[in-house]
Amino acid sequence: MVLSLAFALALTPQQQGHSHHGSSKLVEVVTGDRAPGVKKDVVVARNEKEWQKLSDDLGLGEEQLSNLAGEDGPLHGLNWNKEAIVFARDKKERPSGGFKLEFYKVSWNAKSWTVEFKLKKPGPDDLVTQALTRPFAVVRVQPMGAGGDPQIVVHEE
């Protein structure tokens, strides 16, 4: 499994999406190409216990978790009263490695919310794993009071 850690990727307001209630803070936490321990395509962790289960299912080790929560990590200062962590997996199986979900935007209204990603494909000369993959991304977001799990949209380029 390929797993990438992205540290403190602060996005511009255009990248963050929009809302009638204000803009959303969103930080990419982890990306990868397989997460067999996670059973659902969308998981929202709204507290420490739910994040611990998700991180266990992702197979994150103590060192990775320490880096994520450290002073320069994307989970530093996480406020569970206002923020959540969203795991999203591409619904389609891909024929090789090299595919990546990248955050595009988050939007919401009073009843629902949507997290959108762009699917980045490997280049024609990229060396990739010859195995079926389902890319995923984990992001930290302020859902701004919208309830339930978000709708996940993946735009293919």
Side-chain angles (χ1 to χ4, degrees), residues 29-114:
V29 177
V30 177
T31 62
D33 62 4
R34 286 188 298 276
V38 182
K39 303 300 179 208
K40 299 190 318 185
D41 289 340
V42 178
V43 177
V44 179
R46 292 184 171 85
N47 57 53
E48 182 67 35
K49 184 177 179 180
E50 291 173 354
W51 166 238
Q52 186 61 53
K53 166 114 176 65
L54 178 57
S55 63
D56 287 348
D57 290 348
L58 286 168
L60 299 178
E62 288 296 320
E63 185 176 342
Q64 290 171 310
L65 289 172
S66 179
N67 288 337
L68 291 172
E71 190 171 314
D72 293 330
L75 297 181
H76 180 72
L78 177 74
N79 181 341
W80 289 113
N81 292 322
K82 296 179 181 178
E83 298 175 283
I85 297 174
V86 176
F87 166 89
R89 177 173 31 215
D90 190 358
K91 292 184 186 302
K92 295 181 184 177
E93 202 167 55
R94 302 298 168 172
S96 70
F99 290 85
K100 181 181 178 188
L101 287 185
E102 288 186 355
F103 171 72
Y104 176 60
K105 72 177 180 177
V106 61
S107 58
W108 63 91
N109 60 39
K111 296 181 182 180
S112 65
W113 54 306
T114 302

